[in-house]
């Protein structure tokens, strides 16, 4: 440990050779003199166990109303995740070291984490990772431990899974636990809760939960709900430009999925008029490569605008269907049924209009021979680009939801043939669009919807696919799916 200063004070106090009270995230000396506290990191090692933040007494009394609301939204996910760490792996508070090579001299924390992120992009093909971490501004690293730890945990996990390196995966979980504690402290701080770094860290840790799972395979839903509260508290204006705009664009799909599968009783806030402009890139290329035409970006934006409207249909449809299945059905108000039916018809019209525009930039899929000996299909669908396949799958899944809504409303239309075709299209796309580390992330939504109306034989096959997916993507755990149907219904 030669060269490591014995003082545990912040970097500025050590440099000035004065006693530091070591209060986090900003020490008392820096607060009194209006200096930006550089933090407590050291240049030699990235030591997760020595960055545990001590809570200030009566901190809750000083929290703003927004800070308290945001922190409480994360509390359940935080407690369950910390419990998972203590029971399933090394304690977040235990000392764990991830260090760069001894020679040449070790880089500082920002350089170290940037190197890991570069490894992600090198180990996972560009076509697979494109846009996935492009919203993470690496020049922001090194200033705040909460962001550095969140970025490091996700990057280490992805590299570890891609290379089947369990030691990296273990390190990622340790750093995840430390980072979640840092996030809780930031969310309770009167100003830190609304910073861009805190938002980015929260998103990265939620994505970690999608891939790694923590206390349960659906813990990401609790975390995503907290992020939605955080974004709402910050307001639309805070996400209109720059880094904050790119973050909400990258995360909009996760927020919408959260409202689909973990409904709050209200429509998705991204579907409100004041938020609709915020979830549009509008040709700024905040996520998209420079080669993408503006018309392509507009079509992608419109897909997410349509998708944000789907929770308002899925939630009441699910209630209607389950009440009929369980024999507890009570005839709802005719006006509500009519409103749901008309809403579904309008959303279907808008989605079909979008589809016509989408097919002008995304060629229709073509058939190839299946390479999976377990596949129930001799021929599967291949797409020009994986992201195009993901959007085709999303479109078919949304139409299945809208058709199910109309069926529950007893709307006089025949859907049997089209429903069966869309189920087969989704499931025949899994082999190609679902390939690679990022594959389950692309197809998870479509699989979940198709499973609901598939035949028992196809449901059993889907569950075998999910067993493979959960090795790298915990959110597809089959335990969150209903049991396979016992009848001969469904589509095959």
């Amino acid at each position: 440990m030669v060269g490591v200063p014995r003082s545990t004070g912040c970097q500025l106090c050590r440099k000035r050779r004065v006693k530091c009270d070591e209060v986090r995230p900003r020490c008392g000396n820096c607060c009194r003199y209006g200096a930006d506290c550089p933090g407590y990191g050291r240049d030699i090692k990235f030591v997760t166990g020595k960055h545990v933040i001590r809570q200030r007494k009566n901190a809750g009394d000083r929290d703003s109303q927004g800070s308290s609301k945001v922190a409480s939204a994360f509390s359940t996910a935080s407690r369950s995740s910390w419990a998972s760490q203590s029971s399933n792996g090394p304690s977040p508070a235990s000392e764990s070291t991830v260090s760069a090579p001894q020679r040449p001299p070790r880089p500082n924390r920002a350089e170290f984490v940037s190197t890991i992120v570069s490894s992600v992009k090198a180990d996972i093909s560009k076509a697979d990772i494109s846009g996935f971490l492009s919203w993470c501004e690496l020049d922001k690293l090194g200033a705040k431990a909460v962001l550095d730890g969140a970025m490091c945990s996700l990057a280490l996990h992805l590299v570890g899974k891609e290379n089947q390196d369990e030691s990296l995966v273990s390190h990622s979980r340790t750093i995840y636990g430390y980072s979640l504690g840092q996030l809780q402290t930031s969310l309770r701080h009167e100003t830190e809760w609304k910073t861009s770094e805190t938002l980015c860290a929260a998103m990265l840790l939620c994505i970690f939960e999608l891939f790694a799972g923590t206390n349960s395979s659906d813990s990401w839903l609790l975390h995503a709900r907290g992020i939605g509260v955080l974004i709402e508290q910050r307001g639309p204006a805070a996400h209109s430009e720059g880094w904050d705009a790119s973050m909400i664009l990258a995360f909009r799909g996760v927020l919408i999925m959260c409202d689909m599968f973990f409904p709050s009783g209200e429509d998705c806030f991204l579907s409100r008029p004041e938020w609709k402009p915020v979830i549009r890139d509008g040709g700024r290329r905040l996520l998209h490569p420079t080669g993408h035409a503006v018309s392509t970006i507009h079509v992608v934006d419109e897909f997410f605008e349509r998708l944000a409207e789907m929770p308002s249909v899925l939630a009441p449809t699910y209630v209607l269907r389950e009440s009929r299945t369980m024999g507890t059905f009570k005839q709802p108000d005719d006006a509500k049924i009519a409103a749901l039916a008309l809403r579904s018809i309008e959303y279907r019209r808008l989605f079909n209009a979008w589809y016509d525009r989408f097919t002008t930039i995304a060629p229709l899929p073509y058939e190839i021979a299946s390479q999976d000996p377990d596949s129930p299909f001799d021929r599967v669908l291949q797409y020009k680009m994986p992201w195009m396949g993901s959007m085709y799958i999303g479109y078919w899944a949304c139409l299945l939801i809208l058709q199910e809504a109309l069926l529950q409303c007893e709307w006089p239309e025949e859907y049997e043939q089209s429903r069966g075709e869309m189920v087969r299209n989704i499931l025949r796309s899994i082999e190609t669009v679902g390939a690679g580390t990022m594959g389950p992330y692309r197809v998870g939504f479509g699989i979940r919807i198709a499973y609901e109306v598939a035949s028992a034989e196809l449901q059993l096959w889907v569950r075998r696919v999910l067993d493979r997916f959960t090795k790298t993507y915990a959110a597809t755990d089959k335990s969150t799916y209903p049991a396979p149907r016992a009848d001969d219904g469904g589509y095959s």
Side-chain angles (χ1 to χ4, degrees), residues 156-157 159-173 471:
L156 274 179
H157 182 82
V159 171
K161 284 296 185 180
E162 182 72 9
N163 294 285
Q164 299 181 356
D165 188 331
E166 288 303 315
S167 65
L168 289 182
V169 174
S170 178
H171 276 310
S172 75
R173 293 183 69 86
K471 294 177 181 178

Side-chain angles (χ1 to χ4, degrees), residues 293-491:
V294 173
S295 57
T296 298
I297 297 174
H298 285 319
V299 170
V300 173
D301 285 343
E302 186 181 355
F303 173 81
F304 285 102
E305 186 174 330
R306 301 279 76 83
L307 192 66
E309 296 164 339
M310 295 306 298
S312 66
V313 171
L314 182 59
T317 299
Y318 181 80
V319 171
L320 281 174
R321 194 188 70 170
E322 290 303 296
S323 64
R324 284 194 170 99
T325 301
M326 298 174 66
T328 59
F329 178 74
K330 293 182 180 179
Q331 184 63 39
D333 185 88
D334 289 342
K336 291 183 178 180
I337 290 290
L340 176 59
L342 292 175
R343 189 185 313 136
S344 301
I345 291 171
E346 174 63 9
Y347 290 168
R348 185 178 61 176
R349 182 189 70 79
L350 292 171
F351 250 122
N352 286 332
W354 169 86
Y355 181 79
D356 291 339
R357 288 187 285 275
F358 179 61
T359 52
T360 64
I361 64 167
L364 290 168
Y366 55 92
E367 291 187 344
I368 61 172
S370 172
Q371 302 299 310
D372 181 2
D374 187 44
S375 176
F377 307 106
D378 294 329
R379 310 284 291 178
V380 296
L381 298 181
Q382 178 69 279
Y383 299 83
K384 181 179 178 181
M385 296 290 290
W387 70 265
M388 294 178 180
S390 181
M391 292 198 130
Y392 271 106
I393 291 172
Y395 165 72
W396 291 321
C398 288
L399 285 195
L400 285 174
I401 292 171
L402 295 171
Q403 289 185 357
E404 181 66 26
L406 292 172
L407 282 172
Q408 295 302 325
C409 293
E410 300 180 348
W411 199 259
E413 286 190 34
E414 179 60 51
Y415 304 113
E416 293 296 317
Q417 182 176 352
S418 62
R419 281 164 69 82
E421 182 180 354
M422 286 187 289
V423 169
R424 289 188 293 274
N425 284 347
I426 291 172
L427 299 183
R428 289 204 300 151
S429 302
I430 293 175
E431 185 174 331
T432 55
V433 184
T437 301
M438 300 298 297
Y441 182 81
R442 288 190 293 261
V443 302
F445 166 56
I447 291 177
R448 185 65 180 83
I449 301 302
Y451 179 89
E452 290 282 345
V453 292
S455 65
E457 179 185 1
L458 287 179
Q459 285 183 332
L460 290 172
W461 172 72
V462 167
R463 295 175 77 86
R464 294 195 296 273
V465 171
L466 297 178
D467 285 338
R468 298 199 305 267
F469 279 175
T470 50
K471 294 177 181 178
T472 56
Y473 191 68
T476 53
D477 190 337
K478 67 183 180 185
S479 66
T480 62
Y481 280 55
R485 63 175 69 249
D487 55 37
D488 295 330
Y491 299 93

Side-chain angles (χ1 to χ4, degrees), residues 188-222:
R188 290 192 174 98
H189 192 274
E190 60 260 29
T191 57
E192 285 297 311
W193 72 271
K194 63 177 71 174
T195 65
S196 302
E197 288 83 358
T198 297
L199 176 61
C200 187
M203 290 179 173
L204 289 168
L205 292 176
C206 183
I207 295 172
F208 179 95
E209 289 161 358
L210 279 166
F211 281 88
T214 50
N215 189 49
S216 65
S217 57
D218 58 357
S219 60
W220 70 272
L221 288 168
L222 296 171

Side-chain angles (χ1 to χ4, degrees), residues 17-282:
R17 297 181 181 274
V18 297
K19 182 174 177 59
C20 179
D21 61 7
E22 300 180 30
V23 172
R24 266 76 163 180
R26 299 176 63 204
C27 79
N29 291 335
C30 292
C31 289
R32 276 193 297 274
Y33 297 105
D36 290 329
C37 187
Y40 299 84
R42 300 186 181 190
D43 292 338
I44 300 300
K45 300 196 239 188
F46 187 39
V47 183
T48 63
K50 293 190 181 292
H51 287 280
V52 176
I53 293 182
R54 297 179 298 182
Q55 297 286 345
R56 296 182 182 182
K57 293 183 179 180
N58 301 322
D61 296 337
R62 295 191 296 270
D63 286 346
S64 66
Q65 181 179 2
S67 174
S68 298
K69 186 173 182 180
V70 171
S72 64
F74 280 89
S75 60
T76 304
S78 176
R79 286 195 300 270
S80 62
S81 298
W82 277 98
S84 171
Q85 288 293 325
S86 60
S87 59
N88 297 329
S91 168
S94 64
E95 183 163 340
S96 173
T97 302
V98 181
S99 58
Q102 296 285 346
R103 295 185 180 85
R106 296 167 179 158
N108 62 31
R109 191 172 68 202
E111 292 172 342
F112 172 56
V113 181
S114 297
T115 300
I116 298 174
V117 176
S118 298
S119 297
V120 173
K121 295 181 178 180
D123 288 354
I124 301 177
S125 68
K126 270 194 172 181
D128 214 15
I129 204 69
S130 177
F132 183 66
L133 291 178
S134 63
W135 51 277
C136 300
E137 297 193 4
L138 299 185
D139 61 343
K140 304 292 185 181
L141 296 173
K144 296 192 177 181
V146 63
L147 178 58
D148 296 347
M151 179 75 81
C152 187
S153 64
L154 177 59
L156 274 179
H157 182 82
L158 292 175
V159 171
K161 284 296 185 180
E162 182 72 9
N163 294 285
Q164 299 181 356
D165 188 331
E166 288 303 315
S167 65
L168 289 182
V169 174
S170 178
H171 276 310
S172 75
R173 293 183 69 86
T174 301
I175 298 172
Y176 161 82
Y178 135 78
S179 302
L180 202 58
Q182 290 273 26
L183 177 61
Q184 280 286 345
T185 301
S186 296
L187 291 170
R188 290 192 174 98
H189 192 274
E190 60 260 29
T191 57
E192 285 297 311
W193 72 271
K194 63 177 71 174
T195 65
S196 302
E197 288 83 358
T198 297
L199 176 61
C200 187
M203 290 179 173
L204 289 168
L205 292 176
C206 183
I207 295 172
F208 179 95
E209 289 161 358
L210 279 166
F211 281 88
T214 50
N215 189 49
S216 65
S217 57
D218 58 357
S219 60
W220 70 272
L221 288 168
L222 296 171
H223 200 133
R225 174 55 46 78
I227 293 172
V229 174
L230 173 59
I231 291 173
E232 283 193 87
Q233 288 292 308
R234 295 174 94 234
H239 302 88
S240 59
E241 297 293 340
W243 186 21
D244 298 88
S246 66
M247 281 193 279
I248 197 170
L249 290 174
F251 209 71
R252 55 192 169 181
V254 177
L255 293 172
I256 296 168
M257 291 302 106
C258 175
D259 273 333
M260 283 198 184
F261 300 119
F262 188 37
S264 63
E266 299 178 358
D267 294 348
C268 178
F269 75 94
L270 296 179
S271 67
R272 299 173 192 159
E274 65 270 25
W275 285 98
K276 284 187 176 182
V278 176
I279 61 169
R280 281 183 168 268
D281 182 290

